Amino acid sequence: MEVGYLALPEPLTPFARYVPCRWSGDEVHVSGQVAAREGEFPLRGRVGAELTPEQGRAAARQCALNVLAALKRELNDLSRIRALVKVTVFVATGPDFLDHHLVADGASEVFVEALGDVGEHARSAVGVARLPMDSPVEIEATALVG
């Protein structure tokens, strides 16, 4: 799948008991997407400990692509998105890491590259001790669909 010049991966199969997307009115909530591609994790660990901030940004980009892939499967056409309302970026970090927001920018850039102005969003960047399967980043999102 492609969006503009970005190649979307196949959507991730859930790793546990949840659905990738859930509708609430005209909003689609996308479950947390980890930094896997085709079921594999090219990067594992904590940003600022085992991984560099640049590797964290790369992981955030992969998570964003996975969010878009889940939305594409759910909607069949990303042009149905009227607004990417909210994005929450969870970053697994070492104890002294303070640049969560810069890691999260890797994801925000993908959303704007793929969706243009529709991809601009409200965002939270949250540091956590660990994430499932030792993914460095996990992202959940809400899209308004029309």
Side-chain angles (χ1 to χ4, degrees), residues 123-134:
R123 184 184 83 190
S124 297
V126 181
V128 298
R130 289 282 191 195
L131 288 165
M133 295 160 293
D134 209 19

Side-chain angles (χ1 to χ4, degrees), residues 10-136:
E10 285 298 314
L12 294 177
T13 300
F15 292 97
R17 180 67 181 99
Y18 61 91
V19 294
C21 296
R22 180 74 175 179
W23 286 82
S24 177
D26 54 359
E27 290 184 338
V28 176
H29 298 266
V30 181
S31 293
Q33 299 292 305
V34 291
R37 186 172 184 107
E38 299 175 10
E40 301 294 323
F41 287 82
L43 295 169
R44 290 185 193 246
R46 297 169 300 153
V47 181
E50 298 86 13
L51 301 173
T52 67
E54 293 76 22
Q55 289 172 309
R57 284 176 61 91
R61 287 185 65 84
Q62 183 61 54
C63 292
L65 291 170
N66 291 338
V67 166
L68 292 171
L71 284 167
K72 174 87 168 148
R73 175 171 279 167
E74 186 70 20
L75 304 173
N76 296 318
D77 184 356
L78 292 178
S79 69
R80 292 181 58 198
I81 298 173
R82 294 194 342 235
L84 189 61
V85 178
K86 176 71 189 278
V87 172
T88 305
V89 181
F90 301 95
V91 185
T93 68
D96 297 325
F97 189 77
L98 300 176
D99 290 332
H100 308 78
H101 59 295
L102 299 177
V103 170
D105 279 349
S108 294
E109 291 163 1
V110 167
F111 293 130
V112 174
E113 287 172 35
L115 303 172
D117 290 343
V118 170
E120 295 286 356
H121 52 274
R123 184 184 83 190
S124 297
V126 181
V128 298
R130 289 282 191 195
L131 288 165
M133 295 160 293
D134 209 19
S135 180

